[in-house]
Amino acid sequence: FHQACSPFIQTARCYARPVRRKRKEIPSHLDDLPPTMLKKDYANVPIINSVDDVVKRLLSLEMASQKEKVKIKTQQLVEKVRRSPNDNGSFEVQVAMLTAKIRTYEEHLQRHPKDKNNRRRMLMDMDRRKKLLAYLRRVRYDMFENTCKQLDIQYSLPPPYTRRITKRWVVKKAFCLKVFQEARKLKAPERLKQRREWQARARAAKE
């Protein structure tokens, strides 16, 4: 004897399980880093070539965290624009370091668009980079052009200054134009008199 199911349970059984949507793979600026590359702290160690393959794999980027990969990517961008091997603080190097941070923030915000704290940090870094690029463009245009080319940065000129149009500003502008036109009307006879005197002098000089 089977106990009869309630109508609620029978209705609930008709529902299908929700289909989980696959997340879209977001392209990363770290994708070009080979997984066999060693971490930054172990790349220049002399005995690294004599260790076991398992140890090499543990010390490679295959097992590295996101932070370690960003360090190596930042170093690669810095090497593209630095002026000398000992250059660690020029404007170009600062732009390269900020570019790596900004691209990391952009990828993070694509996955977590509601993270306001990191969005604020990204906007602050973008403002800093824009100021540095504006200075380079004004002082050394060749370095500015090379930096944008090497780091794949599309620099857009800042918009011209625009004033917020208010009712008070519109009334004040109309009043100033009216005063200017009235002043020109008052000065018109005097200007006409001066023009006739100049013409008379020119005729006298010709004769």
Side-chain angles (χ1 to χ4, degrees), residues 60-204:
S60 65
L61 294 184
E62 186 178 355
M63 302 294 178
S65 62
Q66 180 82 0
K67 187 176 181 180
E68 292 170 333
K69 291 181 181 179
V70 170
K71 281 184 180 179
I72 294 180
K73 190 64 180 179
T74 304
Q75 190 67 25
Q76 288 183 353
L77 294 179
V78 167
E79 291 293 338
K80 289 182 178 180
V81 297
R82 67 178 5 165
R83 302 177 186 177
S84 63
N86 298 325
D87 179 18
N88 295 318
S90 63
F91 288 100
E92 299 88 348
V93 171
Q94 294 181 48
V95 169
M97 295 171 69
L98 288 172
T99 300
K101 290 176 65 177
I102 290 168
R103 289 173 181 171
T104 305
Y105 282 135
E106 287 176 346
E107 293 174 13
H108 174 78
L109 290 171
Q110 286 181 351
R111 297 183 178 89
H112 310 282
K114 295 184 179 180
D115 191 350
K116 296 182 180 179
N117 191 16
N118 280 323
R119 185 177 297 278
R120 175 175 168 273
R121 293 177 182 176
M122 182 188 72
L123 293 175
M124 290 172 64
D125 287 339
M126 289 176 73
D127 288 341
R128 286 180 58 197
R129 187 179 71 172
K130 192 176 293 184
K131 289 179 182 179
L132 293 172
L133 288 173
Y135 177 81
L136 273 178
R137 185 176 182 273
R138 187 172 65 253
V139 177
R140 298 192 61 179
Y141 189 81
D142 55 340
M143 299 299 295
F144 160 79
E145 200 171 19
N146 181 59
T147 303
C148 292
K149 182 180 178 181
Q150 294 294 334
L151 302 179
D152 195 17
I153 298 175
Q154 294 182 356
Y155 180 81
S156 57
L157 292 173
Y161 173 75
T162 55
R163 186 172 182 175
R164 183 184 175 189
I165 299 176
T166 59
K167 188 176 180 180
R168 180 181 177 184
W169 181 79
V170 172
V171 173
K172 185 178 179 180
K173 185 176 181 181
F175 177 73
C176 292
L177 287 173
K178 190 173 181 180
V179 171
F180 175 72
Q181 291 172 0
E182 292 296 330
R184 288 192 66 183
K185 287 180 182 178
L186 292 175
K187 293 180 181 179
E190 186 178 353
R191 289 202 305 269
L192 182 61
K193 184 180 178 181
Q194 290 179 356
R195 189 180 302 170
R196 287 176 179 175
E197 290 178 356
W198 292 338
Q199 290 176 356
R201 291 175 185 172
R203 290 171 186 171

Side-chain angles (χ1 to χ4, degrees), residues 5-39:
C5 295
S6 64
F8 177 76
I9 296 177
Q10 291 179 357
T11 307
R13 286 176 177 174
C14 296
Y15 284 100
R17 291 183 179 180
V19 179
R20 293 183 179 179
R21 294 182 179 179
K22 292 184 179 179
R23 289 185 177 182
K24 294 182 179 179
E25 293 185 1
I26 301 172
S28 174
H29 70 292
L30 307 175
D31 291 340
D32 58 342
L33 295 176
T36 56
M37 181 184 291
L38 296 175
K39 298 178 184 178

